[in-house]
Amino acid sequence: MDREFYVSVELYVSAKAASALRKPPAKKSTDKRDAASGSGEASQRKVKEKASWLGLSKTSTGTGQWRPARCKLVEEEEGCLLNIYVDDTILYRSIYMYLLNHTDIRTVHRSLFERRNCLGVFSVAGQMRGAAPTTEPLYIQFEDEETANTWLALLRSYAMPEVYGRWLSPEDGGLYRMWRQVDLTCLQGRNLGVTRPLSDEPPTAEQEAKAEADAIDMDVYCEIYINGILCGRTTVKKGIGSPDWHERFVLPDLPPFETLEIVVWREKRLTRPSIIGTVVIVLVNFRRGDAVEGWFPVLNGGHASSTQAGEMRLKIRVDEEIILPYHVYSRMLKTLHSRNHLDWMQDLETRLKMKNVNQNIMSIAIAKNVLLENIMELADREVDGTQTSHNTLFRGNTVFTKTVELYMSWYGMAFLEASVGPSIRRLCAEKVAIEVDPVRIGRGGRAVEKNVDLLVTWCQEFWDRIYDARRQCPPELRRLFEHIRRLVETRYRVRDDHNRELPWQSVSAFCFLRFIVPAILHPHLFGLLPGLPDVAVQRSLTLIAKVVQSLANLNPTVQKEEFMRGVKDFLTNSLQAMIDYIFVVSTPEPGTGVKGPLTPLSSDKHERLRIMNALRHRSAIAPVLHREAIPLLPHLLDIPRHLAVVTSVVVRYSRTQNFQSTKGATPEDKYFADFCTRCLEVEEQALFRVSKLAAKPRRQHSEPVIKMPAPPLPSSPVPPSPSSSWKLPTRERKISASAASPTRRRTRKSSRPSTAPSSDEPVSDGFSRRSFGSSVAEPRSPNGQNHPPLPSPLPTPTTPSGADGYEARPRSKRPTLAHHPRSTSTDSALVRKPAAEPLQSPTSDSSVDASDEAGKRRKNIFRSILTRR
């Protein structure tokens, strides 16, 4: 049965693609005219607009534009084609979705276009065709987040997940799959543009003084590349060699790791930007699962340069996880569900000092639809009704309050954007500077009164928009706020003359103190601004946040600062509206009190239901690992992935903290010991599966293979993927000989990522492995205080073979950045080394107390897997 799905989108069309669409078959005279007009328009834009957001690449000669388009996904004879049309009739591009990998279809970081709900589809020649002869990534923006998530799941259902060992575990569709993420925060730079010799020693005081003297005032920004693909961009900052960004980039669902490159640019007003230098980090060598913060050298002239042009302070966390089939986690999941999920968060934080798994445990609770019940249960415990807790109710940082913060961020971001987003951006765009402190102003009298009036004006604008958005509060938050309000009313026996305002204040303690007010103070942390606001604007936001918080506290008297008394009339006049606001957001609308998913459907409900039915049908016939790799709607949950992250973190932290099992001491101790045991059992199973794959040669042609739908391939050969680990000596895009061979096109085997083990035996279908013997300079972090060194790389191995059906592709072209050979690290999730004697099945002996067996495991080729020491 053929299926067709449609959606209206915004399509990013680069200047190169747009000119190809407009170009007729033969046009000599038109070329000159277009070139002349194009250069004139470009010169005008350089004067009128900032180069920062003109297009995808700031170094491009032209600018891109967003155009209305329509996507049509066609499923025919077990194949799938995505057609994108512009102007209703012009076919812009057709993409063979069944030739793509899951990592070729991923969300686009907002910093690239300053747009939300964008997806990127990365394909190369042979996997696509179109009117514009370009292999640029396809960027499309959807109407809302729900539509974007739905189409992401739909497109991935036709693509190939990164699954290993299909022929060794046909009942599961493979042994395991992989997931990767980079969490990067660009904090600040120093001495940018000032060159000095590259040295392992930190700069001396004299060198730092000279660098500060040589620093020049300039505008700088950074571009983030992973495996040569542009993934994010910082805002433009002005400073004398030392800009502050504090901008975070979470980049999930990445292909096999190669390099992370932060290219530092200097922006010039009337000319093209110029490169200051590049921070180059080899990801396969980087420590997994832990945040590394320090100063990294900005290499001047490439990674082989002997000079640097300043330093960048970065905070980097690299995650790479082995994901097993869902049924492997069944015992662990049963233990996890045996008590309140928030209790697990508290235990992991207090016993193992873990603070980075709360989001994953929340996702598991959301999938089981028990998160709200768990939060309400903790609220019942926290509200004890005593007079001692009256003034400190919900003011501390407990597991309950921190979980509610995550809960509000999960469900309330659209509500937050509607409440304060436009006002914050207008304040920053107009660069409004408010200061009411006479000491800071340096003047008194009329100057202070004028600033107080300006403060009241902006507070009124903020409050009006917040109040108007009260009915957009999502039902998930309303149910939570209602429970808190009624709980406080009951426990504190609220009367007209005593504790009358406490129920309202309990709601505002979350809605304002922990959500709206922090968003006003730090809008860049909530996605309301691309970067840090200016210092003067930040002061304005701080003053507005103080006033709004005083209003939320139902406190019209400003007690701390004398100069803030000018806003008393505003607070008094707005009190009744604030009480009405709190009542609305803590009262569920009729029809939303039933248990179940509460997020409303998008406008095109019928089309979304068709897609959901199609996903259910495809999931029913797909192998286990392929089915589980399709994210669950509406929140794109991947439960095995969340369980894998929790497992690896618990195992690593329990060893780091030297946790000792104390079964039977208390019920809580028994629960926690059982949970750690279940995590260790999952690790044993992961070790067994990886050793099973490493000990076996690649499947011969006579061995069985899973019968997957084999759609007809296009006449052109299937090229390698631009986003995986295929190693080419240059950055030029080309098709390898092995990729073009008929045998390769039939089997769709390619290079296995460095995170996957393989045997050293030659592949039966003639696939030859290549290695590059030369080594390159590794990224350096100067030693000393605040200068953590990076792990030392191990010798570069030969390029390992690829995941089953997971296409490997050359990286996209980008000048000035050289290619890195691959090397492994003891911190990699999986390290490719010669296969050793396979481990015994964990079912034979799952005891976690056998220290000799653990020692043997650490000495074999899999010592780095999941132990992450």
Side-chain angles (χ1 to χ4, degrees):
M1 176 180 174
D2 295 347
R3 292 189 180 92
E4 295 183 358
F5 304 97
Y6 299 87
V7 66
S8 295
V9 298
E10 289 283 317
L11 171 69
Y12 178 79
V13 181
S14 66
K16 180 180 178 181
S19 62
L21 288 175
R22 294 191 302 264
K23 191 180 298 182
K27 54 168 215 172
K28 277 190 178 179
S29 60
T30 312
D31 279 343
K32 297 179 181 179
R33 184 171 61 252
D34 288 349
S37 63
S39 62
E41 291 174 3
S43 62
Q44 291 178 7
R45 278 192 295 265
K46 286 179 181 177
V47 176
K48 293 181 180 179
E49 301 182 63
K50 294 187 75 174
S52 309
W53 307 106
L54 288 182
L56 178 62
S57 175
K58 296 182 183 180
T59 59
S60 60
T61 57
T63 63
Q65 59 179 330
W66 288 89
R67 298 175 58 175
R70 189 162 180 82
C71 293
K72 176 183 178 182
L73 187 69
V74 185
E75 180 182 342
E76 295 177 345
E77 298 179 358
E78 299 180 343
C80 181
L81 194 66
L82 176 64
N83 295 324
I84 299 96
Y85 298 90
V86 294
D87 300 332
D88 294 330
T89 57
I90 301 176
L91 179 61
Y92 175 76
R93 191 177 297 182
S94 295
I95 302 176
Y96 301 97
M97 298 306 300
Y98 54 86
L99 299 182
L100 300 185
N101 305 320
H102 274 204
T103 54
D104 297 327
I105 309 163
R106 55 182 186 264
T107 56
V108 177
H109 195 271
R110 183 184 174 185
S111 63
L112 282 188
F113 301 107
E114 275 306 293
R115 288 175 175 240
R116 300 177 183 270
N117 310 319
C118 293
L119 293 185
V121 181
F122 304 86
S123 59
V124 295
Q127 298 174 334
M128 50 152 286
R129 52 184 170 84
T134 176
T135 55
E136 296 173 348
L138 179 75
Y139 296 104
I140 50 180
Q141 182 190 24
F142 294 87
E143 178 184 6
D144 52 43
E145 182 181 10
E146 189 176 25
T147 305
N149 291 349
T150 301
W151 272 80
L152 176 64
L154 178 65
L155 295 177
R156 282 190 180 174
S157 71
Y158 290 96
M160 179 65 66
E162 189 181 349
V163 174
Y164 296 92
R166 290 191 306 168
W167 71 98
L168 294 175
S169 183
E171 67 278 5
D172 291 331
L175 291 171
Y176 58 86
R177 55 190 174 96
M178 298 295 298
W179 173 80
R180 303 172 187 86
Q181 175 175 284
V182 169
D183 187 345
L184 167 69
T185 303
C186 293
L187 297 170
Q188 61 186 135
R190 69 181 178 190
N191 303 328
L192 295 179
V194 180
T195 59
R196 69 176 180 89
L198 185 64
S199 172
D200 291 333
E201 299 297 328
T204 63
E206 296 175 353
Q207 290 176 327
E208 290 185 350
K210 184 179 183 301
E212 291 178 2
D214 294 340
I216 58 176
D217 190 6
M218 57 183 176
D219 294 343
V220 293
Y221 64 90
C222 302
E223 289 183 339
I224 293 96
Y225 290 83
I226 292 184
N227 298 357
I229 296 178
L230 181 61
C231 296
R233 182 186 292 116
T234 68
T235 54
V236 179
K237 291 295 181 182
K238 181 175 293 187
I240 305 178
S242 302
D244 287 326
W245 282 287
H246 294 272
E247 297 177 23
R248 185 183 179 193
F249 302 85
V250 179
L251 307 171
D253 303 322
L254 294 174
F257 285 142
E258 293 182 11
T259 56
L260 166 65
E261 295 153 317
I262 297 96
V263 185
V264 184
W265 294 83
R266 178 182 179 184
E267 187 172 78
K268 301 178 182 180
R269 184 159 300 189
L270 300 178
T271 60
R272 297 179 62 184
S274 59
I275 292 181
I276 296 176
T278 305
V279 177
V280 184
I281 298 170
V282 181
L283 291 177
V284 292
N285 294 336
F286 210 84
R287 183 181 306 154
R288 302 294 193 261
D290 292 324
V292 175
E293 181 177 340
W295 290 96
F296 293 76
V298 179
L299 303 179
N300 183 21
H303 63 273
S305 173
S306 60
T307 62
Q308 69 180 67
E311 293 175 306
M312 285 284 296
R313 185 170 166 234
L314 306 173
K315 183 178 181 181
I316 308 171
R317 176 187 167 97
V318 177
D319 289 296
E320 185 173 38
E321 298 297 344
I322 302 169
I323 305 176
L324 306 179
Y326 180 82
H327 64 79
V328 177
Y329 302 98
S330 58
R331 297 185 67 186
M332 172 190 171
L333 200 59
K334 183 178 179 181
T335 303
L336 195 62
H337 291 330
S338 64
R339 60 196 292 231
N340 192 311
H341 293 77
L342 307 189
D343 290 334
W344 291 117
M345 294 185 192
Q346 184 171 9
D347 280 352
L348 293 173
E349 183 173 334
T350 56
R351 296 171 186 263
L352 299 183
K353 313 303 179 186
M354 291 169 48
K355 298 181 180 180
N356 50 4
V357 296
N358 290 353
Q359 196 78 27
N360 293 283
I361 295 179
M362 276 187 59
S363 299
I364 296 169
I366 289 173
K368 192 173 174 60
N369 199 24
V370 296
L371 178 59
L372 185 58
E373 294 179 3
N374 289 169
I375 294 176
M376 290 179 177
E377 181 183 335
L378 252 67
D380 294 344
R381 300 182 202 168
E382 188 147 325
V383 181
D384 55 14
T386 61
Q387 285 297 320
T388 56
S389 65
H390 177 281
N391 296 324
T392 60
L393 185 62
F394 304 139
R395 300 286 174 170
N397 285 325
T398 63
V399 172
F400 169 67
T401 57
K402 287 185 285 189
T403 305
V404 172
E405 289 178 11
L406 292 174
Y407 184 84
M408 291 188 293
S409 298
W410 188 290
Y411 289 106
M413 293 310 295
F415 170 57
L416 184 66
E417 164 65 29
S419 299
V420 296
S423 299
I424 290 175
R425 286 189 290 273
R426 191 167 83 85
L427 183 86
C428 295
E430 297 179 7
K431 297 182 178 180
V432 177
I434 305 174
E435 183 53 73
V436 296
D437 188 349
V439 177
R440 291 174 180 257
I441 294 178
R443 300 183 306 236
R446 182 60 186 162
V448 175
E449 293 178 5
K450 184 178 179 181
N451 277 270
V452 169
D453 292 340
L454 184 60
L455 174 61
V456 171
T457 300
W458 277 98
C459 288
Q460 188 67 56
E461 176 172 330
F462 269 73
W463 171 238
D464 289 343
R465 189 172 288 275
I466 292 171
Y467 184 78
D468 291 341
R470 67 193 185 283
R471 299 200 179 277
Q472 298 183 41
C473 182
E476 293 87 352
L477 298 190
R478 291 192 182 204
R479 288 183 58 194
L480 174 62
F481 295 154
E482 180 194 36
H483 181 80
I484 292 172
R485 177 168 58 84
R486 295 189 181 279
L487 182 64
V488 172
E489 288 175 351
T490 304
R491 296 287 174 89
Y492 285 94
R493 297 180 177 85
V494 175
R495 300 187 302 271
D496 292 339
D497 57 343
H498 188 63
N499 294 339
R500 180 178 55 185
E501 297 176 344
L502 193 58
W504 313 117
Q505 292 172 343
S506 65
V507 174
S508 69
F510 291 105
C511 186
F512 283 90
L513 180 63
R514 298 182 179 275
F515 195 42
I516 293 178
V517 170
I520 297 174
L521 280 171
H522 308 290
H524 64 289
L525 299 180
F526 292 81
L528 303 176
L529 279 182
L532 279 171
D534 295 337
V535 176
V537 176
Q538 181 64 64
R539 174 61 178 169
S540 302
L541 291 172
T542 301
L543 293 173
I544 294 171
K546 285 184 176 182
V547 176
V548 173
Q549 185 59 56
S550 296
L551 179 61
N553 293 338
L554 306 178
N555 180 17
T557 60
V558 183
Q559 300 173 354
K560 292 186 178 179
E561 298 94 348
E562 181 69 24
F563 53 83
M564 290 288 284
R565 294 186 178 275
V567 299
K568 181 177 181 180
D569 292 341
F570 164 76
L571 295 175
T572 303
N573 297 333
S574 304
L575 272 182
Q576 193 57 43
M578 173 58 76
I579 294 176
D580 177 68
Y581 177 93
I582 295 175
F583 179 79
V584 171
V585 299
S586 62
T587 304
E589 293 181 343
T592 62
V594 296
K595 181 178 178 179
L598 300 175
T599 305
L601 296 176
S602 61
S603 57
D604 195 355
K605 180 179 178 180
H606 176 70
E607 186 67 14
R608 185 175 183 276
L609 289 176
R610 287 185 63 242
I611 294 176
M612 295 287 288
N613 290 332
L615 287 174
R616 279 193 290 267
H617 174 75
R618 290 188 57 77
S619 298
I621 61 176
V624 172
L625 282 175
H626 291 244
R627 177 175 67 246
E628 294 172 0
I630 303 173
L632 301 178
L633 295 172
H635 302 297
L636 298 180
L637 300 179
D638 184 346
I639 303 307
R641 169 170 66 84
H642 298 307
L643 291 168
V645 172
V646 172
T647 299
S648 65
V649 174
V650 168
V651 170
R652 182 169 64 252
Y653 272 73
S654 62
R655 290 172 176 169
T656 303
Q657 300 292 329
N658 295 321
F659 173 75
Q660 300 294 328
S661 175
T662 55
K663 281 191 175 182
T666 64
E668 289 76 15
D669 292 337
K670 181 179 183 303
Y671 277 125
F672 192 73
D674 288 344
F675 181 67
C676 290
T677 301
R678 299 294 170 259
C679 292
L680 291 170
E681 290 174 355
V682 172
E683 184 205 22
E684 291 285 331
Q685 182 61 233
L687 288 165
F688 170 70
R689 286 175 177 256
V690 175
S691 65
K692 184 177 180 181
L693 179 64
K696 295 285 185 179
R698 289 292 299 271
R699 178 181 58 83
Q700 304 298 318
H701 289 301
S702 59
E703 292 179 341
V705 63
I706 297 176
K707 296 297 182 181
M708 293 289 293
L713 296 178
S715 57
S716 57
V718 177
S721 162
S723 55
S724 73
S725 61
W726 184 240
K727 311 304 289 181
L728 295 177
T730 68
R731 287 181 178 271
E732 295 179 359
R733 188 183 296 275
K734 60 184 180 181
I735 302 175
S736 65
S738 61
S741 65
T743 303
R744 179 169 175 77
R745 291 209 310 270
R746 285 196 305 268
T747 59
R748 298 186 72 241
K749 292 180 182 177
S750 59
S751 68
R752 175 167 300 161
S754 66
T755 52
S758 67
S759 69
D760 290 333
E761 299 181 15
V763 183
S764 60
D765 58 4
F767 179 82
S768 62
R769 296 177 183 145
R770 296 182 291 176
S771 62
F772 300 90
S774 62
S775 182
V776 298
E778 298 296 334
R780 179 189 58 82
S781 181
N783 293 324
Q785 188 175 6
N786 300 327
H787 294 63
L790 290 178
S792 300
L794 297 180
T796 303
T798 57
T799 304
S801 56
D804 309 302
Y806 191 83
E807 290 296 331
R809 305 176 182 171
R811 293 162 49 178
S812 60
K813 181 179 178 183
R814 181 168 59 81
T816 74
L817 297 179
H819 189 73
H820 282 265
R822 184 181 306 283
S823 61
T824 56
S825 164
T826 56
D827 292 306
S828 298
L830 300 173
V831 178
R832 179 182 177 271
K833 295 184 180 179
E837 186 175 332
L839 299 175
Q840 297 298 319
S841 169
T843 56
S844 60
D845 184 9
S846 60
S847 173
V848 298
D849 297 323
S851 59
D852 55 338
E853 290 297 323
K856 292 178 182 178
R857 286 197 301 274
R858 284 193 293 272
K859 292 178 182 179
N860 69 14
I861 62 172
F862 309 110
R863 64 174 185 173
S864 65
I865 306 170
L866 296 178
T867 60
R868 315 273 166 76
R869 287 191 148 180

